[in-house]
Amino acid sequence: MGWDHGDPGVLALPSGRLVRGRGLRRPVPPGPGPGFGVYLLGAPPPPTAWESRWLRWPDFRLPTDRTLAAALLREAWERAGTERVEVACHGGRGRTGTALACLAVLDGVPPGEAVAFVRAGYDRHAVETPWQRRYVRTFRVP
């Protein structure tokens, strides 16, 4: 089962998939936990009670391995069709917003509109840097 539309930090994609974004410096929201998480950090994340993947992604930067980033985001998007998926970084805005915008592109949102889509549906400050915005505009999964 997926998230509910009213759950904190949940972005509804056009297909109906729901993905939770969050900042790891805040406590885990109440309610059911994710079944799968993708953690965008410069160092390995703390252990979780659910299946998760770590993507090395330094703060205010881009993923260090773009091929791995595309594969993990594709996996997150696919799994969001049937599972509770969360994407998180330390603050929950820059890297998380960028990843959510990439998920929106995978879901059919035009790359040039994906940042605005995430800002409207998740956090108005999401995707913090010019290079993160450019990354979303050029995001492609082979």
Side-chain angles (χ1 to χ4, degrees), residues 23-78:
L24 295 173
R25 71 175 138 194
R26 292 187 290 277
V28 175
F36 179 68
V38 177
Y39 300 102
L40 318 164
L41 300 165
T48 61
W50 48 86
E51 186 180 355
S52 66
R53 306 274 189 279
W54 169 48
L55 178 61
R56 184 181 299 273
W57 190 331
D59 202 8
F60 297 106
R61 306 263 186 241
L62 297 174
T64 58
D65 183 336
R66 293 184 189 191
T67 301
L68 178 60
L72 288 179
L73 292 172
R74 164 69 77 182
E75 181 180 4
W77 178 81
E78 289 172 354

Side-chain angles (χ1 to χ4, degrees), residues 8-12 19 21-23 25-26 89 91-94 96-98 100-101 114-128:
V10 171
L11 175 68
V19 180
R22 76 177 178 99
R25 71 175 138 194
R26 292 187 290 277
C89 65
R93 287 188 169 169
T96 296
T98 302
L100 290 173
V115 170
F117 177 84
V118 170
R119 286 178 174 170
Y122 169 68
D123 184 314
R124 65 187 181 103
H125 299 290
V127 192
E128 296 174 313

Side-chain angles (χ1 to χ4, degrees), residues 105-121:
V105 170
L106 287 171
D107 207 62
V109 174
E113 299 172 20
V115 170
F117 177 84
V118 170
R119 286 178 174 170

